[in-house]
Amino acid sequence: MRKRMICVTVMSLLLFYLVSIHCRAEEIAMAKEDLNIVFAVDHSGSMNEQDAGRIIPKLLQIFTDTLRGENIKIGYLAYNDTIISERAPVAVDQEEQRRLLKQTIAEVENRGETDIGLGLKEACQMLASCSGKKMVVLISDGETDLTRSQTGRTEEDSERDIEDVVQLCQEEGTPIVTVAFGREYEGEEAALKRIADRTGGESYEADRPEELISILYDLFHTDFSYSVREITDSVYDGGSQRINCGTDGMNYDEMTVLFFSDQEIQEAGVISGGSRILSERKDNYAVVKLSGTPDDLAIEFETKQKQQISIFLVGRRNITPVVEWDGDIYKNKETAFVIRFADDRGKQPASYTGFNWTAEFQSMIDDTSVPVDLEMTENGLLGKATFGGSGKYRLYLAA
């Protein structure tokens, strides 16, 4: 028997590859899909009250900087009762494209009224020419309000656009993820949740800008590629602060320490291996980037009296799954295969353990799904599946 092996790439913890299955499978085709994401962000005047420190744009820029992967593309749409600015999805692994995207995010001001229908409609049009998986992430602090708008559009116009976009996303399988932002939701959160539910997207609430960082990583199910840990979210007296923290026994290719505050951040940094690394600071936030996983890590920062500080530790892993099985695949007969994980050196890390892995094959022709039984072993994940027909299937693997 010949041993067949496929190398697949982690993309937001969703693994996409195509397998041609006949009664006796002899050929295997692999195809990668891009993940195209458009952030549709409310930049109406009310956002100045909810995000006085303009932390949301900073968070999105930092998030873009920490993402890696040749298959991930991010776009940005700023709207109020008009389209303020936009940038089509660009590959985040290209430094120049990433710089231009962050520049677009940074330059937008908050003003005017709110037209959610207009924002969603334009965001979907930005995705129209993209190939692969698509997603819209809508961040807003309220419902459509065009009372003082000079555009001539009404709230009924906006609602019609929302309904048209929702129907289109349902047909195309494009989820709209919604984030209700701010302390006073009233009916807004429910309205955004309905949009997400109807398109198969997730819905979130965030009282403060800092809460968005965990939401952003959770959006794309990157729990395995990315790990977000909140170190502190407290109000401190004035003085020098130090927090000793471990890395939970996990191995990362890169670690980022993020500081956020309600006031200007004073000196901040980390101590690792006897060396002190100062952060890059800008107003209310600061960032420290570390290569690899340090054996010891202490976070130090200065605070003013009654200063609130939120600190997050973001770890990133670059791990490639390898799928292999022996022999042929037969119709209506259980097929066993193994999913191993390899790092950049081709070695299997131990960090794939400790997760509740799930998997299933989905037909690319119809809605047929094939369940997969997974068992954790010291050599990887042992999977078993039974295919009822020939065709091309996509494997979804998540933790």
Side-chain angles (χ1 to χ4, degrees):
M1 291 187 177
R2 300 184 306 274
K3 177 172 287 188
R4 300 189 176 92
M5 180 179 295
I6 303 176
C7 293
V8 291
T9 303
V10 173
M11 185 177 69
S12 300
L13 202 58
L14 295 180
L15 313 182
F16 304 97
Y17 68 91
L18 308 183
V19 183
S20 297
I21 297 181
H22 310 282
C23 291
R24 294 180 62 87
E26 295 182 355
E27 293 185 1
I28 301 166
M30 185 182 79
K32 295 180 180 179
E33 285 188 314
D34 288 333
L35 176 59
N36 303 278
I37 306 155
V38 170
F39 285 100
V41 181
D42 182 352
H43 279 274
S44 59
S46 60
M47 291 295 286
N48 286 322
E49 301 176 10
Q50 302 288 2
D51 185 20
R54 288 183 54 79
I55 294 180
I56 291 178
K58 296 168 186 174
L59 278 173
L60 291 173
Q61 293 175 69
I62 293 171
F63 175 70
T64 300
D65 256 344
T66 60
L67 279 181
R68 293 293 184 270
E70 60 182 1
N71 300 104
I72 302 176
K73 295 183 177 180
I74 293 180
Y76 193 80
L77 172 74
Y79 74 92
N80 48 21
D81 55 343
T82 63
I83 302 301
I84 303 174
S85 67
E86 62 184 85
R87 183 168 291 276
V90 297
V92 295
D93 65 335
Q94 298 181 16
E95 184 175 350
E96 178 62 14
Q97 295 291 343
R98 198 166 62 247
R99 183 189 68 79
L100 292 174
L101 174 63
K102 292 192 297 179
Q103 180 178 312
T104 299
I105 297 173
E107 291 176 345
V108 182
E109 297 181 357
N110 298 328
R111 62 180 187 274
E113 305 303 302
T114 307
D115 191 340
I116 291 179
L118 180 67
L120 281 179
K121 182 178 180 179
E122 183 64 23
C124 286
Q125 289 178 351
M126 291 171 62
L127 287 170
S129 60
C130 296
S131 60
K133 303 288 290 186
K134 304 175 185 179
M135 177 188 295
V136 175
V137 180
L138 173 66
I139 302 176
S140 176
D141 71 337
E143 296 177 306
T144 294
D145 183 3
L146 297 172
T147 305
R148 292 173 293 181
S149 175
Q150 303 298 314
T151 64
R153 279 174 58 86
T154 66
E155 292 185 11
E156 289 75 16
D157 294 330
S158 186
E159 289 299 321
R160 277 194 295 270
D161 284 341
I162 291 175
E163 183 62 28
D164 290 343
V165 168
V166 166
Q167 290 186 10
L168 177 63
C169 288
Q170 286 176 329
E171 295 171 1
E172 295 184 348
T174 301
I176 300 176
V177 175
T178 62
V179 182
F181 180 78
R183 285 182 164 81
E184 298 179 0
Y185 295 120
E186 297 180 358
E188 291 87 342
E189 189 273 334
L192 295 180
K193 187 176 187 302
R194 284 194 295 270
I195 294 174
D197 289 345
R198 292 180 61 190
T199 60
E202 300 287 342
S203 59
Y204 299 86
E205 298 177 17
D207 289 343
R208 299 182 295 110
E210 292 83 355
E211 296 178 7
L212 277 175
I213 193 67
S214 296
I215 292 174
L216 289 174
Y217 289 98
D218 186 56
L219 286 176
F220 315 116
H221 307 286
T222 55
D223 308 29
F224 191 66
S225 295
Y226 292 90
S227 174
V228 182
R229 176 183 170 193
E230 184 178 275
I231 302 301
T232 185
D233 181 18
S234 305
V235 176
Y236 290 85
D237 292 329
S240 299
Q241 316 297 337
R242 179 186 175 106
I243 300 175
N244 295 314
C245 58
T247 55
D248 296 333
M250 305 300 283
N251 295 315
Y252 302 102
D253 295 300
E254 181 180 270
M255 298 183 69
T256 305
V257 182
L258 306 177
F259 300 79
F260 301 97
S261 178
D262 60 344
Q263 304 177 46
E264 182 178 0
I265 291 180
Q266 306 303 302
E267 187 172 295
V270 303
I271 296 179
S272 176
S275 300
R276 192 160 192 261
I277 306 171
L278 292 177
S279 66
E280 296 180 11
R281 291 180 290 127
K282 186 174 182 182
D283 302 328
N284 297 57
Y285 77 99
V287 179
V288 177
K289 290 190 176 183
L290 303 170
S291 178
T293 305
D295 294 328
D296 61 302
L297 183 66
I299 300 174
E300 293 189 336
F301 51 98
E302 300 289 329
T303 54
K304 299 177 182 178
Q305 190 70 19
K306 295 184 178 180
Q307 182 171 5
Q308 181 169 3
I309 293 283
S310 299
I311 302 176
F312 295 87
L313 183 62
V314 180
R316 183 180 69 86
R317 310 173 186 87
N318 184 18
I319 297 178
T320 300
V322 179
V323 183
E324 62 179 37
W325 65 88
D326 292 319
D328 295 324
I329 301 175
Y330 292 89
K331 181 179 178 181
N332 296 325
K333 182 179 179 180
E334 185 176 80
T335 298
F337 56 93
V338 175
I339 302 173
R340 297 188 294 102
F341 297 88
D343 59 20
D344 288 340
R345 299 180 298 277
K347 297 181 179 180
Q348 175 159 297
S351 54
Y352 73 90
T353 60
F355 293 91
N356 182 25
W357 289 95
T358 61
E360 71 173 3
F361 286 95
Q362 289 188 359
S363 171
M364 296 192 64
I365 300 175
D366 51 37
D367 295 330
T368 302
S369 62
V370 179
V372 175
D373 292 328
L374 288 178
E375 178 184 347
M376 181 75 67
T377 73
E378 62 180 10
N379 295 319
L381 303 175
L382 175 62
K384 295 180 180 179
T386 302
F387 296 92
S390 301
K392 292 185 177 181
Y393 293 81
R394 178 180 291 124
L395 175 64
Y396 290 85
L397 175 67

